[in-house]
Amino acid sequence: MALVIGNWKSNKNSQETVEWFTQISTLFSQKKPELKDIEIVVCPAFVHLSLAKSLITKYHLSLKLGAQDVSPFEAGSFTGEINARQLRELTEFVIIGHSERRDKFKEDDALLTAKGERAKEAGLKVIFCVPDSKTPVFDKADIIAYEPVWAIGTGKAESPQAAQGVCRLLKKKYPQSQIIYGGSVNDKNIADFIRMEFIDGVLPGKASLDALLFFEMILNASR
Ligand code: PGA
């Protein structure tokens, strides 16, 4: 099973969200791709999850939703936070520990573990990001995303062979998790990553923002 998880980060307003889902729905109904062994997840901003959910239902899309972050706390007096139980009403997945959260928001291992615990208690599937094979991993992560920092948003992906080396180490340490690669994945290189024995999927950022590109990636990842 190949996983393709699109991380929109802090992009798109509601109109652009509607356009993306409408466009991808048109592509699916025009081209009717035979998608084999592929799970597709889209991670819009919190404020558009509800809208995205209704568009997926409206267009009968086989896409799942993920959030990009979650509160380390349960419900309560935590102004500005969105907790895991609230998210579970809208999404199946949540990304935790993306390098932008670690770097720009100074999120550390203890905080990320707390987020992971809350997410699992609420029944969310955790996509836990690490920049290498040495960084501590939340041990109940369903999916571990290996994302070398230098490859994120730079247009310079790691070679599939080198990425596979790190993914293999992670698989050895965490055999119960799926291991995916992220960092400048696009429609041209996606198949090379998916083909690797120890890479179970990919986490594209920038290339997931364009519905046509994302559709092409889905086609090229389907095996
Ligand atoms: P990118 O982002 O595909 O734009 O490099 C990947 C990510 O940050 O998850």
Side-chain angles (χ1 to χ4, degrees):
M1 171 71 78
L3 274 161
V4 178
I5 305 176
N7 175 11
W8 285 7
K9 308 188 181 184
S10 191
N11 290 295
K12 294 196 190 294
N13 60 23
S14 50
Q15 182 57 35
E16 289 160 347
T17 300
V18 171
E19 282 164 10
W20 190 95
F21 279 97
T22 308
Q23 208 182 336
I24 209 135
S25 145
T26 306
L27 288 164
F28 269 111
S29 48
Q30 281 173 351
K31 310 244 159 112
K32 298 194 177 33
E34 221 191 275
L35 300 178
K36 277 188 239 120
D37 264 353
I38 185 164
E39 187 165 33
I40 309 156
V41 183
V42 187
C43 305
F46 285 132
V47 285
H48 298 134
L49 287 174
S50 184
L51 172 63
K53 191 180 178 192
S54 65
L55 291 165
I56 286 172
T57 307
K58 176 178 171 190
Y59 294 127
H60 308 287
L61 294 168
S62 10
L63 302 183
K64 294 174 175 173
L65 281 178
Q68 300 170 19
D69 191 21
V70 64
S71 172
F73 302 107
E74 291 175 3
S77 303
F78 304 104
T79 302
E81 288 297 275
I82 294 167
N83 72 57
R85 274 175 227 288
Q86 293 170 324
L87 278 183
R88 187 64 193 95
E89 294 182 345
L90 298 169
T91 80
E92 196 173 320
F93 294 84
V94 61
I95 298 173
I96 294 176
H98 190 279
S99 69
E100 287 149 15
R101 305 267 353 145
R102 292 174 187 267
D103 176 37
K104 301 199 168 67
F105 301 93
K106 306 293 170 229
E107 299 195 352
D108 61 16
D109 296 334
L111 180 76
L112 298 176
T113 301
K115 290 184 176 205
E117 293 292 351
R118 297 299 82 72
K120 290 307 293 177
E121 284 160 12
L124 288 163
K125 289 186 186 144
V126 170
I127 305 159
F128 195 86
C129 302
V130 287
D132 50 49
S133 61
K134 295 185 190 80
T135 298
V137 171
F138 172 62
D139 59 4
K140 293 175 206 142
D142 299 273
I143 298 154
I144 300 169
Y146 161 54
E147 297 206 300
V149 174
W150 56 265
I152 295 177
T154 58
K156 291 191 179 73
E158 185 161 39
S159 76
Q161 291 73 16
Q164 146 117 319
V166 179
C167 290
R168 174 193 258 145
L169 287 174
L170 287 166
K171 190 77 186 177
K172 240 186 177 168
K173 280 204 218 166
Y174 308 97
Q176 77 291 354
S177 306
Q178 287 178 288
I179 315 290
I180 65 174
Y181 166 80
S184 297
V185 173
N186 59 37
D187 55 321
K188 308 276 182 308
N189 62 22
I190 190 166
D192 297 332
F193 288 106
I194 297 289
R195 210 173 283 135
M196 292 286 152
E197 186 184 348
F198 294 96
I199 300 182
D200 299 318
V202 289
L203 180 51
K206 210 180 195 164
S208 72
L209 292 174
D210 182 303
L212 182 57
L213 263 187
F214 193 65
F215 184 74
E216 290 292 332
M217 283 197 287
I218 293 167
L219 294 187
N220 295 344
S222 170
R223 24 186 184 190

